[in-house]
Amino acid sequence: MLRSNLIPAEVKPLKVLLVEDNLSLANLYVNFLQAEPVALSHVATGSEAMTAIRNERPSVVFLDLQLPDMNGIEILNWIQNDGIDAAVIVVTADGSLSTAVEAMKAGALDFLVKPFNRERLVVTLRNALERQRLSAIVEKVKGGYPRDNYCGFVGSSVSMQAVYQVIESAAQSKATVFVTGESGTGKEVCAHALHDLSPRNDKPFVPINCAAIPRELMESAIFGHVKGAFTGATQHQSGAAKRADGGTLFLDEVCEMDADLQTKLLRFIQTGSFEAVGSPTTEVVDVRFICATNRDPWVEVQAGRFREDLYYRLHVIPIQLPPLRERDDDILTLVRHFIRVYAEEEGKAFRDVSPEAARVLLDYSWPGNIRELQNVIRNAVVLYDAEVIEPAMLPAKIAQAAGNRVPKAAGAAGAPAALPATATLAPIDEASLSERIVPLWKLEKEATEQAIELCGGNIARAAAYLGISPSTIYRKRVSWEAMESNLVAAAESSR
Ligand SMILES: Nc1ncnc2c1ncn2[C@@H]1O[C@H](COP(=O)(O)OP(=O)(O)OP(=O)(O)O)[C@@H](O)[C@H]1O
Ligand SMILES: [Mg+2]
């Protein structure tokens, strides 16, 4: 391989590859180009060319079409199919138009017919380099534009752009990521994105929820156990640590882990080694850790519930997901996204929200974040038949909460201006009364469902908090279903 050594290595000149089987011609071209600020290398065959292109990633390739081992068009096709970003200039002794057309169709940037002089070669090279420089700028600018979705996330708010950037850089590394944020802000989505964008994405992503597994089973869930390790351990079972070998272990709700296990986790994170419950053998795995919590981990440390040394071990790359109320720009984007998803899922005609409903949604504080928004839209799509979501289709608590809040800037994101404080209500007709007044059974249903949700689906607990018996909830559910089917029937008969 000939190399022009006129360019000092530290200025990182662009690489140019010359593919030419005639050595005296190759020498001539190297001579022609020696004053150009490029790192020029030369190969004489098609297979050498493919290796050099793959390994060196040249910006520009001068490609002779008649090579001893293959036709240059084959190399051109391979460059196109593999999406290799190189500007190819085809060089041939055949001046026929059809060869030029074929090469350009196959993706060549330019075409040189032998023999050519120094000036023609230099101008062609400079044009190609300029084109590469411009397309690199375009790519960079494209990358700098705010993204409105990213690896499972929907939203283009400034605060989410920062999150996307950290995910992008952190995904490449093995460093532990600690994801914090209120409930429903997307911590699990974040963990998946980190894994999917990482070089480990062909290995398992193993999530383990430290709040959902009883404490006495947690150690075995993470590290596995051997037969007879405890009552009920009838056979050897490997844990999440082993299953995640080579991949990612996602420890969700990590602040719920008890003190003993925190000590074992610390050692596992420090050394990659652990013992299954009841086993004397130490196992070693290669795992990337992602942890999440909806608590403030530092408050947990201060309160003595979370080991400080473990906190520092985990807190290598912190990602804090902002609450939805701080992502104003994203609320309507998410609303429209979920309308599209659920309308398709349910076979409904919904396609947007009315400006009034948009105002209600924008004025609400979303304590349950994206999960709550998702549920609100899903409910509206399931329960009603229309093209546009109206305020009456939203849970009463949202409309009420929005009504109680000081309105935000008028006209925000397509919503109409809020009523001025001095405005009086216009006389209200029957139709809008029925839209504005929420029947008691609906309020009761929403309060009950919210209580059940807050109690993690435990009806008995929810009933205790509501001051009624669980059987009352079951009975009421039957009557609410009847009310809802009456509503549907009434809506159909009025069509
Ligand atoms: N930016 C987003 N775009 C689209 N969907 C999202 C986004 N963020 C979250 N979601 C969806 O919202 C729901 C809640 O997200 P996720 O489970 O990741 O939240 P979380 O922070 O882990 O909540 P928790 O603390 O309750 O476990 C999921 O259905 C998820 O797909
Ligand atoms: Mg979660």
Side-chain angles (χ1 to χ4, degrees):
M1 194 187 262
L2 287 171
R3 264 180 204 282
S4 120
N5 50 10
L6 296 167
I7 312 300
E10 62 274 16
V11 296
K12 285 217 172 149
L14 291 174
K15 293 176 184 165
V16 176
L17 178 69
L18 188 57
V19 187
E20 172 60 69
D21 58 332
N22 181 324
L23 269 191
S24 52
L25 274 182
N27 274 318
L28 179 70
Y29 300 156
V30 169
N31 197 292
F32 279 174
L33 295 177
Q34 66 175 316
E36 296 306 300
V38 293
L40 184 62
S41 47
H42 163 249
V43 291
T45 65
S47 58
E48 282 179 296
M50 289 171 88
T51 309
I53 291 167
R54 198 181 293 117
N55 297 338
E56 309 268 340
R57 298 277 155 177
S59 298
V60 178
V61 180
F62 285 99
L63 180 63
D64 189 3
L65 283 188
Q66 290 87 30
L67 293 166
D69 54 344
M70 62 181 86
N71 185 311
I73 297 286
E74 281 174 60
I75 299 182
L76 204 43
N77 286 331
W78 167 75
I79 288 176
Q80 293 305 308
N81 293 340
D82 272 33
I84 294 169
D85 182 27
V88 181
I89 296 149
V90 158
V91 182
T92 178
D94 173 5
S96 73
L97 196 61
S98 62
T99 311
V101 170
E102 196 190 351
M104 302 305 266
K105 265 195 190 157
L109 172 71
D110 208 339
F111 192 76
L112 281 173
V113 180
K114 296 174 187 177
F116 45 79
N117 60 17
R118 178 194 305 264
E119 200 193 345
R120 176 84 173 94
L121 182 62
V122 167
V123 168
T124 307
L125 173 65
R126 288 183 185 168
N127 287 343
L129 290 173
E130 181 60 6
R131 201 199 92 117
Q132 288 300 83
R133 190 180 72 82
L134 291 177
S135 60
I137 292 173
V138 169
E139 281 312 307
K140 211 167 162 191
V141 172
K142 260 199 224 159
Y145 271 121
R147 290 176 269 211
D148 60 4
N149 65 74
Y150 181 75
C151 209
F153 286 104
V154 171
S156 59
S157 57
V158 177
S159 50
M160 287 309 287
Q161 297 301 321
V163 170
Y164 301 159
Q165 259 170 28
V166 179
I167 293 178
E168 193 156 279
S169 342
Q172 299 308 315
S173 127
K174 200 193 157 187
T176 302
V177 180
F178 204 162
V179 191
T180 53
E182 291 178 12
S183 182
T185 44
K187 296 183 290 297
E188 194 163 341
V189 177
C190 180
H192 275 285
L194 283 161
H195 176 76
D196 292 347
L197 296 167
S198 80
R200 303 173 162 256
N201 61 11
D202 56 340
K203 294 279 165 26
F205 172 87
V206 180
I208 184 151
N209 189 327
C210 305
I213 298 173
R215 273 159 201 252
E216 59 281 10
L217 297 182
M218 196 62 210
E219 183 175 353
S220 154
I222 299 181
F223 300 126
H225 62 252
V226 294
K227 185 175 170 183
F230 48 82
T231 325
T234 52
Q235 56 186 16
H236 172 89
Q237 191 158 346
S238 52
K242 181 89 182 177
R243 292 199 303 279
D245 196 6
T248 305
L249 180 60
F250 175 43
L251 296 166
D252 204 357
E253 313 287 6
V254 71
C255 285
E256 312 307 313
M257 193 177 273
D258 74 11
D260 271 1
L261 202 50
Q262 286 181 29
T263 313
K264 290 184 178 153
L265 177 64
L266 179 64
R267 174 175 160 248
F268 177 35
I269 292 175
Q270 273 166 339
T271 63
S273 63
F274 64 91
E275 287 90 32
V277 180
S279 165
T281 318
T282 301
E283 296 180 65
V284 181
V285 289
D286 165 31
V287 159
R288 200 256 171 104
F289 294 93
I290 301 176
C291 301
T293 179
N294 53 18
R295 296 178 188 253
D296 179 337
W298 186 241
V299 169
E300 297 302 297
V301 171
Q302 301 291 301
R305 289 187 293 263
F306 201 71
R307 287 183 67 122
E308 190 171 354
D309 44 10
L310 180 57
Y311 169 85
Y312 286 119
R313 270 284 152 191
L314 297 179
H315 219 251
V316 183
I317 304 179
I319 297 183
Q320 165 116 45
L321 291 173
L324 185 56
R325 63 187 165 280
E326 287 171 18
R327 303 186 212 173
D328 273 8
D329 303 350
D330 290 347
I331 294 178
L332 290 183
T333 314
L334 281 159
V335 165
R336 293 191 174 112
H337 165 73
F338 290 130
I339 290 178
R340 220 177 19 254
V341 170
Y342 296 129
E344 196 180 321
E345 217 172 276
E346 301 290 331
K348 297 281 182 90
F350 281 103
R351 50 176 177 74
D352 208 348
V353 273
S354 71
E356 294 76 17
R359 185 175 67 186
V360 169
L361 294 167
L362 284 168
D363 276 350
Y364 183 59
S365 64
W366 300 108
N369 295 290
I370 292 102
R371 185 180 293 108
E372 186 181 9
L373 176 73
Q374 204 175 15
N375 290 342
V376 164
I377 302 300
R378 192 203 296 255
N379 278 356
V381 171
V382 169
L383 292 180
Y384 298 90
D385 274 318
E387 288 196 353
V388 171
I389 294 183
E390 297 289 352
M393 301 174 191
L394 302 173
K397 69 169 185 211
I398 290 188
Q400 280 159 2
N404 292 340
R405 280 178 57 170
V406 179
K408 290 189 182 160
L419 284 177
T422 51
T424 48
L425 289 174
I428 298 170
D429 60 28
E430 277 306 311
S432 64
L433 270 183
S434 71
E435 264 182 25
R436 284 172 184 230
I437 299 175
V438 185
L440 268 182
W441 69 267
K442 272 196 180 178
L443 291 176
E444 196 182 36
K445 175 172 181 271
E446 278 158 13
T448 310
E449 276 172 355
Q450 192 192 24
I452 296 172
E453 200 180 326
L454 288 172
C455 293
N458 186 327
I459 293 187
R461 261 187 95 199
Y465 279 108
L466 289 165
I468 54 176
S469 71
S471 59
T472 308
I473 293 189
Y474 291 115
R475 204 167 22 81
K476 283 186 179 289
R477 276 184 160 177
V478 175
S479 77
W480 295 329
E481 267 170 31
M483 295 289 224
E484 265 152 14
S485 33
N486 287 348
L487 276 184
V488 173
E492 268 166 8
S493 67
S494 70
R495 260 190 230 139

